[in-house]
Amino acid sequence: MNKNTKTAIGLMSGTSMDAIDAALVRIDDDFNFEFIKGHSLKYPSEVRQKLLEIANNKATTSDICFMDFVCAKLFARCALELITKNGLQAGDIDYIASHGQTVFHIPEDKTISNITAKSTLQIANISTISELTGITTIGDFRSKDIAAGGQGAPLVPFADELIFKKDKNRAIQNIGGIGNVTVLSKDCETFAFDTGPGNMLIDGAVKKLFDLPFDKDGQIAAKGKIDEKFLNELLDEDYYKKFPPKTTGRELFNDDYLMRVLQKAPENKYDTIATLTALSAGTIVDSYKNFVLPKTTIDEIVIGGGGAYNKTLINLIKDYSKLPVKTHADFKIDDKFKEAIAFAMLGFCTLNHTPNNLPACTGASKRVIMGVVSYS
Ligand SMILES: Nc1ncnc2c1ncn2[C@@H]1O[C@H](COP(=O)(O)OP(=O)(O)O)[C@@H](O)[C@H]1O
Ligand SMILES: [Mg+2]
């Protein structure tokens, strides 16, 4: 590694709102990086419940105000636990880069009093993380891209480019609450978009029908049959037809959406989970056919995020796409921590005053330096 090597912690919690993931990495000026260790802190159930209420637009302004600081305390705790776990001290860490917790994301223009804006809100107060850890903390990455006319998402493709290079044409498919793909190809500029639901609807239905947090290893879906009629109804959703750049979240695929979906579900609850799993796999592969293959071939798919552990989902993606399917683990990157690593890379750029958005992915009018710094 080169001289200017930093030791950093990336902090991430996605739309699943399952846990805060922290990645300890070393990174140098040429973006050579070493993933040292990861650590996850599960949200306490009451905290998760409150965050879901906020994301489902069922909470108060006071809840949002309070949870900004509650989340920050948990993000700081997660970082400190990772530091201790590795026999380090806060002084050994150069910076923390925190994505925060998205509670709302409005990627399309809205207008009030003739003022038009896209907007997004990530909580987990940056000043508090910095103060509690004693480490300079960078956060609020998405706002600057939105300010430059983008959707503020997706941001991880910047890291995907650096991690995977372009020696093959790849679809880097993250499956978190939402599915999102980064297309890395020799034939075109890197582009990315959200494919639709990843685990979000599966998680919600498994909670309602089985009172479990998620379908471990895809075992429930494996016991059911795909109901084609139900699947076709589910596929009738405008989002899937929209051309990229496009991003989505709980604003669309939320509890109300799930309730409407479950009203049309088959009687057999295993079939419901199997069909929702087929919906995630199907919309992922269809989006390649509709939006990727017209621009470039794909040599292989690389899955990441918690969905990588859902064997039924992965098998369906293999089956539908007829492409080789790998996971990040095949590239020696923990499937769970890739996004946290990505934010550590984005924060490195902020501190070095290097632009870190990809306008072809977000739709921004120009490259900008994303991230706001709270110094220790
Ligand atoms: N062993 C597993 N089997 C199936 N699904 C899993 C497993 N572990 C995690 N997941 C899924 O991954 C989700 C979390 O993925 P993650 O990448 O953290 O998403 P997000 O970025 O939205 O938080 C869980 O909600 C669950 O649906
Ligand atoms: Mg998560």
Side-chain angles (χ1 to χ4, degrees):
M1 285 212 172
N2 288 354
K3 277 195 305 242
N4 184 18
T5 300
K6 299 276 190 238
T7 304
I9 291 177
L11 291 175
M12 173 76 204
S13 176
T15 44
S16 299
M17 297 177 164
D18 56 325
I20 303 156
D21 300 319
L24 179 65
V25 294
R26 249 183 233 120
I27 174 165
D28 76 10
D29 280 337
D30 295 326
F31 289 107
N32 296 307
F33 75 97
E34 186 193 344
F35 169 58
I36 303 165
K37 194 102 188 162
H39 176 66
S40 295
L41 177 68
K42 248 182 93 175
Y43 274 130
S45 61
E46 276 181 289
V47 170
R48 179 167 196 267
Q49 194 48 45
K50 188 53 78 184
L51 289 172
L52 282 170
E53 281 171 28
I54 296 174
N56 282 299
N57 219 356
K58 302 215 156 100
T60 63
T61 318
S62 132
D63 290 327
I64 300 168
C65 181
F66 174 51
M67 293 308 284
D68 185 27
F69 287 77
V70 170
C71 283
K73 291 198 169 187
L74 290 169
F75 273 59
R77 188 191 294 172
C78 183
L80 289 169
E81 285 177 358
L82 176 61
I83 291 168
T84 310
K85 197 167 145 182
N86 284 277
L88 298 173
Q89 288 175 341
D92 299 319
I93 310 297
D94 293 299
Y95 67 90
I96 289 173
S98 173
H99 169 266
Q101 175 65 61
T102 297
V103 289
F104 227 80
H105 181 63
I106 310 177
E108 253 108 53
D109 281 332
K110 277 181 74 172
T111 302
I112 183 167
S113 298
N114 284 327
I115 301 162
T116 298
K118 301 179 176 59
S119 53
T120 192
L121 183 58
Q122 284 73 44
I123 61 169
N125 186 269
I126 306 156
S127 303
T128 303
I129 298 175
S130 172
E131 190 56 28
L132 293 181
T133 58
I135 301 167
T136 291
T137 301
I138 306 137
D140 191 21
F141 287 91
R142 299 192 189 274
S143 298
K144 185 79 174 192
D145 183 80
I146 293 202
Q151 298 201 352
L155 302 187
V156 173
F158 178 83
D160 284 331
E161 265 195 352
L162 296 167
I163 296 170
F164 293 97
K165 319 281 190 264
K166 287 190 174 185
D167 52 333
K168 275 189 176 181
N169 293 353
R170 296 190 174 101
I172 313 294
Q173 179 69 50
N174 187 68
I175 310 179
I178 292 291
N180 48 278
V181 66
T182 302
V183 182
L184 297 174
S185 160
K186 295 183 284 286
D187 307 328
C188 60
E189 201 176 340
T190 298
F191 68 105
F193 57 92
D194 287 350
T195 49
N199 303 301
M200 197 179 276
L201 295 177
I202 305 171
D203 282 357
V206 165
K207 177 78 196 148
K208 291 228 156 51
L209 302 176
F210 294 86
D211 199 23
L212 291 169
F214 59 92
D215 180 11
K216 190 161 189 310
D217 305 331
Q219 287 171 13
I220 299 175
K223 288 191 192 132
K225 278 207 291 291
I226 298 166
D227 182 318
E228 294 297 335
K229 182 171 170 281
F230 180 40
L231 181 59
N232 280 330
E233 282 173 350
L234 294 173
L235 285 168
D236 185 20
E237 161 58 56
D238 287 344
Y239 182 77
Y240 307 135
K241 294 167 204 148
K242 264 208 226 159
F243 276 79
K246 59 174 181 174
T247 51
T248 186
R250 240 175 237 286
E251 304 65 49
L252 176 61
F253 299 107
N254 54 23
D255 271 2
D256 292 340
Y257 192 94
L258 180 68
M259 291 317 288
R260 285 198 301 276
V261 158
L262 289 181
Q263 277 165 9
K264 300 178 201 155
E267 254 172 53
N268 182 320
K269 55 187 189 173
Y270 290 91
D271 292 356
T272 299
I273 304 303
T275 310
L276 286 171
T277 305
L279 174 73
S280 293
T283 49
I284 286 170
V285 175
D286 281 351
S287 71
Y288 298 171
K289 291 182 181 151
N290 295 334
F291 310 122
V292 180
L293 294 182
K295 292 189 176 181
T296 172
T297 54
I298 301 172
D299 299 327
E300 62 188 23
I301 301 172
V302 184
I303 309 274
Y309 303 115
N310 184 328
K311 294 193 180 72
T312 310
L313 178 60
I314 303 308
N315 284 336
L316 283 170
I317 293 174
K318 280 186 189 157
D319 187 30
Y320 293 162
S321 70
K322 313 275 185 261
L323 286 169
V325 175
K326 294 184 174 168
T327 66
H328 282 64
D330 294 317
F331 294 83
K332 309 222 166 357
I333 300 165
D334 198 307
D335 288 303
K336 229 169 124 175
F337 295 107
K338 203 284 287 292
E339 295 207 317
I341 295 168
F343 277 88
M345 289 179 159
L346 292 171
F348 187 86
C349 296
T350 315
L351 293 180
N352 283 320
H353 302 190
T354 309
N356 49 4
N357 67 333
L358 293 181
C361 296
T362 64
S365 61
K366 60 179 176 114
R367 299 209 65 186
V368 288
I369 304 165
M370 301 181 297
V372 171
V373 185
S374 174
Y375 291 98
S376 62

